[in-house]
Amino acid sequence: MDISPALLLLLALGFCCPGIYGQSLDIKVTSPKDITQLQVGQKLQLECQTDKNSGAFWIHKDKRGTLHFIVFINSVARTTFGNQRTATRFEASKHNTNYYLAVKSFTPQDEGNYFCVMNFNQMLYFSPGQPAFLPATTVAPTTCEPTTKGGKTEDPNLKTPDPDRRMQEDLNFFCHIFIWVPLAGACVLLLIALVITLVLCRQTRRRRCRCKR
């Protein structure tokens, strides 16, 4: 039976709630030596080196800190992509305990950090992020003047978002969905059962009253 990629990711994130980052698995992502000289349209191949044969996820965190599920490669090298558009932009494969991901034609939207993720013993393990960015273009330096608000000086450079915090918030969001959605469904079923029980009891009481008359 096929399982949708979204369900696979939710199940994995549900297992991760007790602890997301583990230390018992050896996961490392390697890239070509010329990754610092990426060009638009170039093919980029990443390799996830592991010591387990339990399948692996590839996840992309873009420059805004948003997580994108790319593909799941199971233990027999079967691939499950997030959607049809993702399947046309990426290639995935497996050899022994190494998992490969290739960006067919690198574009600015592919910039960010790439993670290899494994679910082992009901724990979710992340590899160190592999950065992949196009060479920065030379731009004239600009100075940001502090703004004054309410008599206080605010420096805009102090308000840079924390990517790791954003990633943690996204993972917590998936965990909350995995836990609270089934719980809410169970509460609705209990409420329906209670209403049906009250209606049946009221009908039974009316029948008894009629028999006594």
Side-chain angles (χ1 to χ4, degrees):
M1 181 177 62
D2 294 336
I3 302 177
S4 67
L7 180 57
L8 285 171
L9 185 57
L10 283 176
L11 289 174
L13 290 173
F15 291 138
C16 83
C17 292
I20 296 175
Y21 297 96
Q23 303 296 331
S24 61
L25 285 186
D26 183 17
I27 307 176
K28 182 174 64 174
V29 175
T30 60
S31 61
K33 295 180 180 180
D34 61 347
I35 194 171
T36 57
Q37 301 175 357
L38 277 174
Q39 301 296 327
V40 174
Q42 178 181 344
K43 183 176 181 179
L44 172 65
Q45 181 158 314
L46 303 175
E47 179 182 359
C48 176
Q49 300 176 353
T50 73
D51 57 355
K52 300 294 182 183
N53 189 27
S54 57
F57 297 88
W58 279 101
I59 293 179
H60 172 224
K61 186 174 74 170
D62 61 23
K63 293 187 293 185
R64 296 176 298 177
T66 303
L67 294 175
H68 303 275
F69 167 65
I70 300 176
V71 65
F72 173 69
I73 311 172
N74 66 11
S75 58
V76 294
R78 181 179 178 182
T79 58
T80 305
F81 286 89
N83 50 55
Q84 186 61 35
R85 183 170 177 270
T86 303
T88 59
R89 294 175 51 234
F90 296 92
E91 294 176 347
S93 60
K94 173 184 177 294
H95 180 67
N96 294 330
T97 58
N98 292 347
Y99 300 84
Y100 300 91
L101 176 72
V103 185
K104 295 181 180 180
S105 179
F106 200 87
T107 64
Q109 69 176 347
D110 298 317
E111 292 185 296
N113 287 276
Y114 289 82
F115 295 87
C116 179
V117 186
M118 297 188 70
N119 181 19
F120 184 72
N121 286 340
Q122 298 186 351
M123 293 286 290
L124 199 63
Y125 299 89
F126 277 71
S127 71
Q130 172 60 56
F133 294 92
L134 294 169
T137 56
T138 304
V139 181
T142 57
T143 57
C144 298
E145 296 293 335
T147 58
T148 303
K149 184 177 180 181
K152 296 182 179 180
T153 302
E154 297 183 355
D155 188 353
N157 295 326
L158 298 178
K159 295 185 177 181
T160 56
D162 186 356
D164 292 334
R165 182 178 178 183
R166 175 65 181 273
M167 178 180 175
Q168 184 66 38
E169 291 176 352
D170 290 338
L171 291 175
N172 290 337
F173 173 73
F174 282 116
C175 289
H176 287 314
I177 291 179
F178 182 80
I179 293 173
W180 289 109
V181 169
L183 184 59
C187 292
V188 172
L189 292 176
L190 289 175
L191 181 60
I192 294 174
L194 180 61
V195 172
I196 294 175
T197 302
L198 291 175
V199 172
L200 292 176
C201 289
R202 183 171 297 179
Q203 291 179 352
T204 303
R205 184 174 298 177
R206 289 180 178 176
R207 291 176 181 175
R208 290 179 178 177
C209 293
R210 290 176 180 176
C211 291
K212 291 180 178 180
R213 292 179 183 176

